Amino acid sequence: MRKKGRQVVLDTETTGLNTKEGHRIIEIGCVELVNRRLTDRQFHMYINPERHIDDGAIEVHGITNEFLLDKPLFKDVVDDFVDFIHGAELIIHNAPFDVGFIDHEFSLVNSAVKTKDICTVFDSLVYARKKHPGQRNSLDALCKRYGIDNSHRDLHGALLDAEILSDVYLLMTGGQISMLDDDDLTDGATEHVIQRLSSDRPPLKVIQCCEEELLEHQKMLQLLEKSSGACLWNQ
């Protein structure tokens, strides 16, 4: 059974920029969000594209022709890939590019599947442009804007970029919605049980924040104001 509130943050790397020139996917990276919380489920595959990678593309992602020689073909991983993304909302930065390549790969294995038939798609680039008009909205620019450390991103990589995009997406769209455990967020959990505390319980221990923690808290409030324009904590 598919989990309610399931999203898959997805990125691909390719041999070039245009499927009309025969370019193919060489890496797919996906991470799963359930109720806006990262799970430990991922889908990550390198794929033999059965063609040469453009030199310019290698400069971007660092994946070489030699590295992909012993990797599976797309037809060998398509069933596992479809099973992972099926029924989810895909979070993709510049979705037409990745969806175009995915649908092209589906067509090459004579599959009648199209991404829109099995998933909905949220384009985080379109959302970022509406939220921050007139500003740079590349993944690197958004990391800088939202205070996300991407210093380990020397080259593009599908799984790494999907992990970074998941952080950007959660901050850009308002953070996590719940601190409850996954078991508390099942489809049938519609009733809220109120548990009364005993009147003779010992007093709660109050732990005061240190100065360093207060400074970190203030930094987060400033980040919230910068991203959303308002922060109730400061009102």
Side-chain angles (χ1 to χ4, degrees), residues 2-220:
R2 296 290 170 184
K3 293 182 179 180
K4 187 177 180 180
R6 182 173 183 266
Q7 298 168 302
V8 171
V9 187
L10 179 149
D11 188 56
T12 64
E13 299 299 338
T14 63
T15 61
L17 296 177
N18 197 333
T19 58
K20 293 181 179 179
E21 297 175 358
H23 286 295
R24 305 283 303 275
I25 290 176
I26 57 175
E27 184 187 8
I28 301 174
C30 302
V31 296
E32 182 186 61
L33 297 171
V34 175
N35 293 301
R36 295 176 60 84
R37 297 180 65 196
L38 276 169
T39 74
D40 59 357
R41 295 191 67 224
Q42 299 180 342
F43 180 90
H44 182 223
M45 292 296 302
Y46 290 104
I47 298 167
N48 184 336
E50 301 180 281
R51 60 150 293 153
H52 187 78
I53 305 171
D54 279 2
D55 292 340
I58 295 176
E59 291 178 3
V60 171
H61 50 58
I63 302 172
T64 64
N65 297 285
E66 294 74 20
F67 175 76
L68 296 175
L69 285 176
D70 62 347
K71 301 303 183 287
L73 306 180
F74 184 81
K75 66 179 181 180
D76 300 322
V77 304
V78 62
D79 289 341
D80 290 339
F81 173 58
V82 169
D83 183 66
F84 190 86
I85 67 172
H86 191 278
E89 179 185 38
L90 299 183
I91 311 299
I92 307 175
H93 207 62
N94 191 19
F97 179 86
D98 298 89
V99 171
F101 267 91
I102 292 168
D103 286 346
H104 179 62
E105 294 291 346
F106 285 154
S107 70
L108 292 178
V109 297
N110 298 317
S111 171
V113 173
K114 285 189 176 296
T115 306
K116 67 178 182 179
D117 298 329
I118 59 174
C119 302
T120 58
V121 178
F122 177 94
D123 192 332
S124 54
L125 178 58
V126 171
Y127 184 89
R129 285 172 173 168
K130 291 179 179 178
K131 190 175 180 69
H132 308 291
Q135 301 182 53
R136 295 179 62 247
N137 289 295
S138 66
L139 195 54
D140 284 335
L142 290 171
C143 284
K144 184 176 181 180
R145 186 171 301 141
Y146 288 100
I148 296 170
D149 181 12
N150 67 337
S151 58
H152 53 304
R153 187 182 183 243
D154 295 326
L155 295 169
H156 288 239
L159 183 60
L160 174 60
D161 285 1
E163 291 172 339
I164 292 174
L165 179 57
S166 68
D167 291 337
V168 168
Y169 168 77
L170 289 173
L171 281 173
M172 185 168 62
T173 58
Q176 296 177 336
I177 62 172
S178 177
M179 298 299 290
L180 297 175
D181 293 332
D182 291 336
D183 292 342
D184 297 324
L185 296 168
T186 55
D187 293 346
T190 57
E191 294 185 4
H192 299 279
V193 179
I194 299 175
Q195 294 183 329
R196 303 295 181 185
L197 297 176
S198 172
S199 60
D200 60 353
R201 71 186 188 279
L204 296 177
K205 182 178 181 181
V206 178
I207 301 176
Q208 299 292 340
C209 295
C210 66
E211 184 175 350
E212 182 180 355
E213 291 169 332
L214 289 173
L215 288 174
E216 288 300 318
H217 177 65
Q218 191 59 41
K219 288 180 182 179
M220 180 55 68

